[in-house]
Amino acid sequence: MTSETRNSINDIWGERTPHGPGQEWPVRVDERVSETPERWVRGTCVLCSNGCGLDIGVKAGKIVGVRGLATDTTNRGRLGPKGLHGWVANESPDRLTKPLIRRDGQLQEASWDEAMDLIVQKSKAIVEKQTSLGIGFYTSGQLFLEEYYTLGVLGKAGLGTPHMDGNTRLCTATAAAALKVSFGSDGQPGGYEDLDVTDCVLHVGHNIASQQTVLWMRILDRLAGPNPPKVIVIDPRRTFTAEHATVHLAPKVGTNVAVMNGLLHLIIQAGAIDAAFLEAHTTGYDDLKKTVEKYTPEYVEQLSGVPAAELLRAGEILATTRTLVSTILQGVYQSMQATAAAVQVNNVHLIRGLIGKPGSGILQMNGQPTAQNTRECGADGDLPGFRNWGNPEHIKELAKLWNVPVNKIPHWSPPTHAMQIWRYAEQGTIKLLWIQATNPAVSLPELSRIRKILQKEDLFVVVQDAYLTETARYADVVLPAAIWAEKTGTFTNVSRTVHISCKAIDPPGEARSDLDIFLDYAQRMDFRDQDGAPLIKWHDPESAFEAWKECTRGRPCDYTGLTYEKLLQGSGIPWPVNEQHPDGTQRLYTDFVFPTSADYAETYGHDLETGAAVSPEEYKANDPKGKAMIKAAEHREPHEVPDDEYPLWLTTGRQVYHFHTRTKTGRSKALHDAAPDAFVQLSAQDAGRYGIEEGDWVLVESRRGLIIERAMIGNVEPGLVFIPWHYGYWDDPSRPRAANELTITEWDPVSKQPHYKYAAVKISKYDAKAALPQPGLLGRAVDAVQQLISGEAEPTGGSKSQGPQPKTTQRVDG
Amino acid sequence: MHVGNYVGLAHGSEQRLVDALNKVAEHHGDEPDIYETCQLLMSWSRKHIEHLEPLVQKYGEDKNPEPDNLETALFHGPRQGSLALLRDLHDVWLLTQQVHLCWTVLEQAAQALRDNELERVCQQCGQETKRQTAFFLTRIKQAAPQALVAAL
């Protein structure tokens, strides 16, 4: 019998527990169990980047529920709909339980020895012929720190390949890039606690109410208490978040820099800058002042469509507030001028001196729960411990730590970013692509291109996952992986808070943890250090964590004061944790000294417009020596704009009940039923123009492909259509429906994050009763999709002969 | 006076850079960053050409016919494949260096002539040319290992 403290599907955020500024956020414990657990095991929710502490209820070797951890600093007992329901996916009957190897075109069951030996044999042959430049890794925002670090070491010091990145490039690369540009290193200046005292919250391109439900509860509780903060929301849609805004600015997509420059202009006009702070702790203000001079409210209105009067209201709040917390997410990161726009938010804080003080913080958010750790550990396009690939001393530190020759570690240019890894695979210079716990066949832009790459005969694809995803269907080898609750490890949220998540049950069948798979590969490849000892000297999560701690010593993300034991004591702890800060660090830069000095900085920076790397000599010539760096940018128009043929803007995003490509959340019945399908959201004006009514099937076409979705009318600006991304094909192969069939292959010059937030499309009403036409683009697209889901896999339901089958109406549009 | 010759050389070199960027963008359009960045860098060079036009007028009258052949064709047209991408970027980098040197030479002359307008144009455009060079160097460094070592 299921028992739950609240119905989180119908009531996403639950009851209010109001609190005033400076009061501790009250506890509210959310719980949902299907049976009474025999025991509770300490875990952490891994279904968004908030990282809520929880306990996993276990009975007879199965998960039977979860409850929030009352003592945890992050959630004080609360859980969101995904946290309360997502665990059901562990028990899904279609979990992978044995390795699969493609034989005669079919994926067939194999032993671990066969699968791993095949991967090792391929790896060695490629290295022999092409060096390790023939091997690439594409990882996740879902693994644990210990796994990323092990992957980083085996890739960078074992193989020595620069081709390591992951889907965090799609979600959070700009967060890291923007923090590096302004402050010299990754790491959030503030913490979630700043929300408890702040006078003002600025959400830029961040629908926090849907994406981080528990963090939004924290804000809702402030809004329900005495002296609530003002809320400014910048988002082209009227989202759940925007509904609570004091001021909601709805700019045209791709105009974030124009709007931010307008706000900076107004703050400067109002004389609200902190001149003493600017002088003592920053560089570059004069250039910013000159650049934003022309961004008057009238000019910004022309560029962005935001009414001048609205911009003035927001500008006045930002010029007068005594404290400010800003949060930024995909509306910025996946749009035009991603890094430049995110940096302008940092600049608001810098020119007003609102940083390093209670109530004033910047949360350059992560989309994925463990994204911060890929950045820290070097499993993506960064080096472990926030080291600078352009600084030879930093490379020497790593070489010494790993006891390998300096030149083993690739550092001749920035590590290859994800989109470039795929490009090398497309061109045939990467021959082995190893994908872990992510689903690029649904999540990358321009899916028809990604399918072609995955199908290439000269590309050996390894997929390590818990389910036979759309991507795994193309693999040459599939490795069944253990997931959350089936393995132990740590991970770090946006607030820099490190949590432990423990193994509560055994993985199904022969599935193994990602850590064990990496350790096995390193051992079979016989990676050794320069004294002939095994390169990787750890054997389980805790020993991997201990090794990682040494890698962080003296770096901004210093973990040396943490232990598993300490993390099990009832709350996550924010880094740095070391001798100086044994209980962690709630807020960085309280002394206004930033990690920008040439010998310490994580990067020497880039040209914000072209991405050109700044040379060490240039950086040293202007060494900011601990000052934060203000960098200005002019507005630039997006690369694809609506025209006569494709007259509408498309923008895409996530919804409250689903996560990533729904690999897990789609397998939880409650979450699936709440949001079973994508849709196309359009304004009443556009609906009228195209003769479309609520619930009608709509054909949406871009230059790259097409999809068919149901119409949802309202809460979006005319001229713009919104489609939730990452609905793929495994649970509904009846029609093309993944938003990324439409999106463009392109990325920000600095962060290399792909642009998902704008594309030009056309729409038309689609008659569901008609048979799908075979010839032409539509027929080809349908064929492609049917091909995608056919083959060796088990039937996925849905009939190919019928037209699109209506599903229940989804509940949310926010 | 030979200033007119160098103004002409700067003008012609910027024009050749625009042509080369255009060809590289089109030819290597499968590399989205190359395509988009070339478009951006092209807009800078076009602007430079506009800045130069009044100066071409101003100094053109004094243009000395000697020496011939100041201009060397550095870029012959795009090639195919990853090695070709590298080689094309290599050529464009050289072209940007050529333009940059023109700005340096002209800035010297501008100072000697006390021509503040020419000096301002040289400094402003020279800064952007430097950023063009920096982009191509960064991209070349990224592409080189894969093109020279991993491509079969």
Side-chain angles (χ1 to χ4, degrees):
Chain A
M1 54 347 58
T2 297
S3 97
E4 58 183 10
T5 55
R6 69 191 189 90
N7 181 338
S8 61
I9 299 292
N10 288 334
D11 180 7
I12 299 168
W13 307 285
E15 243 178 82
R16 297 281 55 79
T17 50
H19 66 139
Q23 293 166 357
E24 196 168 34
W25 191 25
V27 168
R28 182 192 87 195
V29 175
D30 295 339
E31 178 177 321
R32 184 173 175 277
V33 294
S34 58
E35 289 178 68
T36 307
E38 287 162 0
R39 60 194 175 99
W40 292 98
V41 179
R42 177 67 201 283
T44 307
C45 183
V46 75
L47 287 168
C48 89
S49 61
N50 202 45
C52 295
L54 53 72
D55 292 320
I56 305 165
V58 180
K59 185 179 177 185
K62 305 266 181 220
I63 304 175
V64 292
V66 289
R67 72 174 179 207
L69 191 65
T71 50
D72 192 61
T73 178
T74 300
N75 57 325
R76 311 267 298 153
R78 289 160 193 79
L79 293 172
K82 287 194 281 267
L84 288 166
H85 290 276
W87 53 270
V88 174
N90 281 62
E91 297 295 329
S92 178
D94 65 344
R95 284 287 301 273
L96 291 166
T97 55
K98 280 178 86 76
L100 307 172
I101 292 178
R102 190 172 298 278
R103 297 184 177 111
D104 306 321
Q106 304 285 308
L107 283 174
Q108 295 176 354
E109 288 189 354
S111 71
W112 271 101
D113 274 341
E114 285 173 305
M116 293 307 291
D117 282 344
L118 181 56
I119 298 170
V120 167
Q121 178 207 322
K122 281 276 173 193
S123 302
K124 286 184 171 168
I126 291 166
V127 170
E128 174 78 13
K129 212 167 168 187
Q130 283 179 283
T131 76
S132 60
L133 292 176
I135 299 178
F137 292 87
Y138 185 69
T139 193
S140 176
Q142 302 273 328
L143 307 188
F144 289 152
L145 179 157
E146 294 78 358
E147 297 168 331
Y148 291 132
Y149 184 56
T150 305
L151 176 61
V153 177
L154 78 82
K156 289 183 164 75
L159 283 166
T161 176
H163 305 323
M164 305 189 76
D165 203 355
N167 70 16
T168 53
R169 186 65 61 185
L170 320 178
C171 80
T172 184
T174 305
L179 292 167
K180 287 186 229 177
V181 168
S182 298
F183 311 120
S185 173
D186 198 348
Q188 307 293 342
Y192 293 163
E193 291 82 359
D194 286 318
L195 290 167
D196 300 341
V197 290
T198 193
D199 294 330
C200 181
V201 188
L202 169 66
H203 298 298
V204 191
H206 182 202
N207 181 11
I208 184 174
S210 288
Q211 312 315 347
Q212 278 108 352
T213 50
V214 173
L215 197 58
W216 180 239
M217 292 171 202
R218 200 163 186 150
I219 296 175
L220 285 178
D221 285 350
R222 278 293 314 280
L223 292 175
N227 301 319
K230 293 198 168 70
V231 178
I232 302 170
V233 173
I234 305 179
D235 193 313
R237 292 192 307 138
R238 188 169 166 81
T239 59
F240 289 144
T241 314
E243 282 170 14
H244 289 264
T246 317
V247 183
H248 172 206
L249 308 180
K252 283 196 303 199
V253 292
T255 61
N256 291 320
V257 166
V259 174
M260 290 313 303
N261 280 355
L263 293 170
L264 288 160
H265 168 94
L266 289 170
I267 293 167
I268 293 170
Q269 283 294 107
I273 60 160
D274 184 337
F277 181 87
L278 285 172
E279 173 63 28
H281 306 299
T282 69
T283 65
Y285 171 67
D286 291 341
D287 190 34
L288 180 80
K289 189 177 173 211
K290 209 172 115 202
T291 305
V292 302
E293 210 158 24
K294 68 168 179 275
Y295 289 85
T296 60
E298 294 71 27
Y299 182 50
V300 172
E301 180 170 340
Q302 258 177 46
L303 296 174
S304 70
V306 169
E310 296 291 300
L311 194 80
L312 277 162
R313 280 182 67 205
E316 196 189 328
I317 295 171
L318 291 175
T320 52
T321 186
R322 286 174 308 162
T323 50
L324 172 68
V325 175
S326 296
T327 78
I328 306 95
L329 194 64
Q330 315 303 19
V332 173
Y333 300 162
Q334 295 174 342
S335 194
M336 187 66 193
Q337 296 184 280
T339 306
V343 162
Q344 299 320 308
V345 183
N346 296 344
N347 286 342
V348 168
H349 287 259
L350 288 173
I351 67 172
R352 291 227 48 221
L354 297 179
I355 190 166
K357 304 167 190 172
S360 288
I362 302 165
L363 298 166
Q364 297 277 358
M365 285 284 173
N366 305 338
Q368 295 259 23
T370 73
Q372 181 71 47
N373 302 104
T374 56
R375 280 142 59 180
E376 292 168 2
C377 298
D380 72 346
D382 289 308
L383 286 181
F386 295 159
R387 285 178 174 84
N388 183 350
W389 61 269
N391 185 336
E393 293 305 315
H394 288 192
I395 309 300
K396 271 186 215 159
E397 285 170 15
L398 288 176
K400 192 172 165 218
L401 180 73
W402 296 334
N403 192 25
V404 296
V406 171
N407 67 5
K408 185 77 191 180
I409 303 167
H411 62 283
W412 47 78
S413 60
T416 318
H417 62 94
M419 299 298 282
Q420 189 66 50
I421 290 176
W422 285 88
R423 175 68 181 146
Y424 287 150
E426 186 174 43
Q427 288 178 312
T429 61
I430 285 182
K431 300 283 185 200
L432 190 160
L433 186 57
W434 188 335
I435 301 163
Q436 300 117 30
T438 187
N439 193 7
V442 177
S443 60
L444 281 177
E446 202 178 346
L447 291 179
S448 58
R449 175 175 168 255
I450 298 306
R451 283 193 289 270
K452 267 188 218 135
I453 297 172
L454 286 167
Q455 278 170 307
K456 280 185 62 156
E457 292 223 336
D458 67 343
L459 181 68
F460 189 79
V461 178
V462 179
V463 171
Q464 181 172 322
D465 209 315
Y467 309 90
L468 198 67
T469 62
E470 288 88 338
T471 305
R473 288 165 204 270
Y474 291 111
D476 295 287
V477 175
V478 179
L479 303 174
I483 52 176
W484 172 87
E486 296 161 3
K487 58 182 187 176
T488 294
T490 57
F491 63 99
T492 308
N493 72 8
V494 176
S495 200
R496 289 174 283 102
T497 303
V498 187
H499 281 91
I500 191 163
S501 188
C502 297
K503 180 174 172 174
I505 57 167
D506 286 325
E510 296 176 19
R512 291 182 182 171
S513 76
D514 299 281
L515 179 65
D516 285 342
I517 296 171
F518 294 145
L519 291 173
D520 187 24
Y521 178 70
Q523 194 246 325
R524 284 174 199 257
M525 287 294 287
D526 200 25
F527 293 135
R528 295 192 174 265
D529 67 16
Q530 56 193 356
D531 295 329
L535 172 69
I536 294 176
K537 297 168 175 66
W538 49 93
H539 53 274
D540 65 1
E542 191 161 6
S543 53
F545 187 77
E546 291 299 315
W548 163 245
K549 282 162 60 176
E550 277 316 302
C551 186
T552 65
R553 190 176 291 281
R555 296 301 299 162
C557 55
D558 194 333
Y559 280 68
T560 50
L562 280 173
T563 57
Y564 271 18
E565 198 194 344
K566 209 164 170 176
L567 288 170
L568 282 166
Q569 282 167 7
S571 181
I573 302 170
W575 60 247
V577 194
N578 49 24
E579 269 180 30
Q580 236 183 318
H581 308 281
D583 301 317
T585 309
Q586 215 177 71
R587 194 171 298 105
L588 300 180
Y589 314 140
T590 49
D591 54 359
F592 311 130
V593 175
F594 300 90
T596 55
S597 67
D599 57 353
Y600 194 63
E602 189 184 356
T603 175
Y604 292 136
H606 301 82
D607 186 310
L608 283 189
E609 282 195 90
T610 66
V614 175
S615 71
E617 297 75 28
E618 258 177 284
Y619 192 90
K620 282 176 193 156
N622 307 297
D623 193 337
K625 291 183 185 153
K627 289 184 174 184
M629 297 175 284
I630 293 175
K631 292 261 168 76
E634 293 280 1
H635 163 73
R636 288 187 57 217
E637 196 177 51
H639 297 148
E640 185 173 83
V641 297
D643 55 17
D644 290 345
E645 200 183 348
Y646 296 93
L648 297 167
W649 283 109
L650 164 73
T651 195
T652 64
R654 194 165 65 216
Q655 297 277 289
V656 69
Y657 300 110
H658 84 270
F659 190 72
H660 199 233
T661 62
R662 302 171 64 250
T663 308
K664 282 188 212 163
T665 53
R667 285 175 169 88
S668 157
K669 189 175 182 308
L671 294 173
H672 176 86
D673 288 351
D677 205 349
F679 53 83
V680 52
Q681 185 177 6
L682 65 166
S683 68
Q685 290 93 320
D686 287 326
R689 183 176 315 149
Y690 293 97
I692 293 166
E693 287 176 29
E694 181 83 19
D696 279 350
W697 286 106
V698 181
L699 178 67
V700 189
E701 299 168 82
S702 80
R703 290 185 174 81
R704 294 153 294 276
L706 57 84
I707 59 173
I708 300 163
E709 309 283 11
R710 281 190 173 280
M712 170 178 285
I713 296 169
N715 289 332
V716 67
E717 294 291 303
L720 177 68
V721 298
F722 169 84
I723 299 172
W725 67 29
H726 295 357
Y727 278 80
Y729 300 101
W730 63 270
D731 64 327
D732 182 4
S734 65
R735 64 179 204 279
R737 70 162 173 170
N740 285 322
E741 302 287 353
L742 308 171
T743 48
I744 52 182
T745 298
E746 209 180 85
W747 53 86
D748 180 70
V750 180
S751 68
K752 320 295 186 196
Q753 185 156 355
H755 292 174
Y756 291 97
K757 292 297 184 191
Y758 65 83
V761 295
K762 59 182 170 188
I763 61 171
S764 54
K765 188 170 161 176
Y766 179 77
D767 186 352
K769 288 181 203 119
L772 296 174
Q774 285 312 305
L777 181 62
L778 180 56
R780 286 201 298 279
V782 171
D783 282 348
V785 171
Q786 287 176 347
Q787 212 185 335
L788 165 72
I789 54 84
S790 66
E792 68 290 330
E794 77 282 2
T796 43
S799 163
K800 291 176 196 175
S801 59
Q802 291 168 15
Q805 297 303 303
K807 297 262 190 177
T808 53
T809 307
Q810 49 287 319
R811 286 161 191 270
V812 290
D813 62 352
Chain B
M1 193 159 79
H2 298 289
V3 175
N5 298 55
Y6 248 92
V7 172
L9 179 58
H11 191 264
S13 302
E14 285 280 17
Q15 190 55 57
R16 265 184 296 286
L17 180 56
V18 167
D19 293 344
L21 289 170
N22 199 21
K23 281 185 190 143
V24 169
E26 290 302 326
H27 192 75
H28 298 287
D30 288 344
E31 313 290 341
D33 60 333
I34 298 286
Y35 180 84
E36 285 302 341
T37 316
C38 283
Q39 301 293 331
L40 173 70
L41 303 188
M42 222 179 342
S43 72
W44 295 356
S45 282
R46 289 211 175 100
K47 197 175 64 194
H48 297 178
I49 291 169
E50 276 173 38
H51 286 312
L52 273 167
E53 262 146 25
L55 296 162
V56 170
Q57 297 280 322
K58 183 173 170 187
Y59 288 102
E61 294 162 18
D62 299 334
K63 190 170 173 183
N64 192 306
E66 295 294 327
D68 284 339
N69 253 350
L70 254 183
E71 302 168 15
T72 326
L74 285 171
F75 183 76
H76 297 278
R79 289 154 276 218
Q80 301 282 348
S82 62
L83 186 61
L85 171 68
L86 182 63
R87 195 63 184 82
D88 289 343
L89 296 177
H90 178 144
D91 282 355
V92 181
W93 182 87
L94 287 171
L95 265 179
T96 63
Q97 289 288 52
Q98 154 90 350
V99 174
H100 194 256
L101 195 53
C102 287
W103 295 126
T104 308
V105 169
L106 279 174
E107 193 183 333
Q108 294 300 106
Q111 288 180 33
L113 285 166
R114 279 82 185 169
D115 183 337
N116 293 337
E117 174 58 13
L118 180 61
E119 190 180 345
R120 192 185 58 79
V121 169
C122 290
Q123 278 174 356
Q124 230 175 37
C125 298
Q127 270 304 321
E128 280 178 343
T129 309
K130 224 169 137 185
R131 291 171 70 197
Q132 292 175 326
T133 304
F135 169 73
F136 286 108
L137 183 63
T138 300
R139 195 59 178 80
I140 285 166
K141 282 183 168 178
Q142 179 203 315
Q146 201 71 11
L148 298 186
V149 178
L152 297 172

